[in-house]
Amino acid sequence: EAGVAQSPRYKIIEKRQSVAFWCNPISGHATLYWYQQILGQGPKLLIQFQNNGVVDDSQLPKDRFSAERLKGVDSTLKIQPAKLEDSAVYLCASRRGLGGTISGNTIYFGEGSWLTVV
Amino acid sequence: SQQGEEDPQALSIQEGENATMNCSYKTSINNLQWYRQNSGRGLVHLILIRSNEREKHSGRLRVTLDTSKKSSSLLITASRAADTASYFCATSRGMEYGNKLVFGAGTILRVKS
């Protein structure tokens, strides 16, 4: 079974520029997450999709961040304009169902997209 | 804000020794999970323990949960150099809260060979 795919792996941009990250979840996984992980910290949830609908985007800075999952499969996370504090790893993850403790609902993470804003 | 707080922040041990990491959290939970993250890689799920469970084992891993103290511990027995990684606890409050996982800051484990 192929894992969660993310691209690009690394990106360096200047502040005020824009950047987009792409994620392809594991086939058949309905739930997709974007997490932001700043160096030395644990991942912080930015947005959660259930199919193509948003379940939780309470911690997404909507003035500069946007995300979509139009066909309920791939997802794109965009930052525009970027700030220095956006430097982080952006992790995409997916889960087959809604979660909870049902067997088979493990969350699988991609390798992450490393963003440096200079 | 992050719910889980891991302790210690960093741990360095010799191969073959046991490693214990602790996690404290603030609210009631449905389950608590532990993840491993190798340097430059994504997170890998290790083990899940439900709020009504007190202890769980998986291979060399042993997890305990004390809901009265709002704390959990992860024990890795007979550690190996390959166990060198960051370990995170994550809590879920259940379906009512969208099964959202809230991660702690992690413990960096270094196993010296």
Side-chain angles (χ1 to χ4, degrees):
Chain A
E1 180 176 64
V4 177
Q6 291 189 245
S7 69
R9 285 297 318 273
Y10 305 96
K11 191 77 175 177
I12 300 174
I13 61 173
E14 294 183 350
K15 58 184 178 183
R16 292 187 289 275
Q17 286 188 324
S18 63
V19 63
F21 301 115
W22 171 83
C23 172
N24 180 235
I26 293 173
S27 178
H29 280 198
T31 305
L32 184 147
Y33 308 85
W34 283 102
Y35 282 86
Q36 179 193 57
Q37 186 177 21
I38 293 171
L39 187 66
Q41 299 182 17
K44 182 184 82 171
L45 179 68
L46 292 176
I47 189 166
Q48 175 183 345
F49 291 96
Q50 181 69 23
N51 296 310
N52 61 350
V54 175
V55 173
D56 186 343
D57 63 356
S58 58
Q59 296 191 90
L60 186 74
K62 299 180 185 64
D63 57 333
R64 300 183 299 105
F65 285 65
S66 64
E68 59 183 14
R69 193 185 184 199
L70 292 176
K71 297 182 180 178
V73 181
D74 293 5
S75 177
T76 303
L77 176 70
K78 296 179 181 177
I79 308 173
Q80 181 179 15
K83 292 185 175 181
L84 296 177
E85 59 260 36
D86 298 332
S87 294
V89 181
Y90 291 87
L91 296 164
C92 180
S94 69
R95 175 157 55 186
R96 183 176 305 280
L98 287 171
T101 59
I102 299 170
S103 175
N105 271 305
T106 299
I107 294 179
Y108 296 88
F109 282 82
E111 298 283 89
S113 291
W114 294 67
L115 174 66
T116 300
V117 183
V118 297
Chain B
S1 63
Q2 293 189 321
Q3 157 107 297
E5 296 291 335
E6 281 93 339
D7 160 54
Q9 288 187 316
L11 181 60
S12 183
I13 60 174
Q14 290 293 134
E15 203 165 26
E17 293 181 339
N18 295 341
T20 299
M21 288 159 270
N22 302 298
C23 168
S24 60
Y25 56 91
K26 297 174 184 174
T27 67
S28 62
I29 61 171
N30 176 277
N31 66 78
L32 185 144
Q33 304 178 34
W34 285 90
Y35 286 79
R36 184 187 74 230
Q37 185 177 37
N38 289 82
S39 181
R41 309 295 293 272
L43 282 81
V44 175
H45 181 263
L46 294 176
I47 196 166
L48 179 154
I49 186 165
R50 298 178 180 83
S51 60
N52 60 355
E53 297 176 314
R54 292 296 167 259
E55 188 171 313
K56 205 159 182 181
H57 298 255
S58 177
R60 293 184 297 112
L61 304 180
R62 172 177 170 252
V63 169
T64 61
L65 179 64
D66 187 334
T67 52
S68 67
K69 295 181 179 178
K70 292 186 169 59
S71 67
S72 173
S73 67
L74 171 67
L75 169 67
I76 303 174
T77 60
S79 63
R80 306 166 182 168
D83 294 329
T84 294
S86 293
Y87 291 82
F88 296 90
C89 69
T91 55
S92 173
R93 301 185 69 185
M95 285 284 286
E96 185 181 348
Y97 297 88
N99 286 312
K100 183 168 74 174
L101 279 182
V102 179
F103 286 84
T107 292
I108 300 171
L109 173 66
R110 181 185 172 209
V111 181
K112 295 177 284 187
S113 56

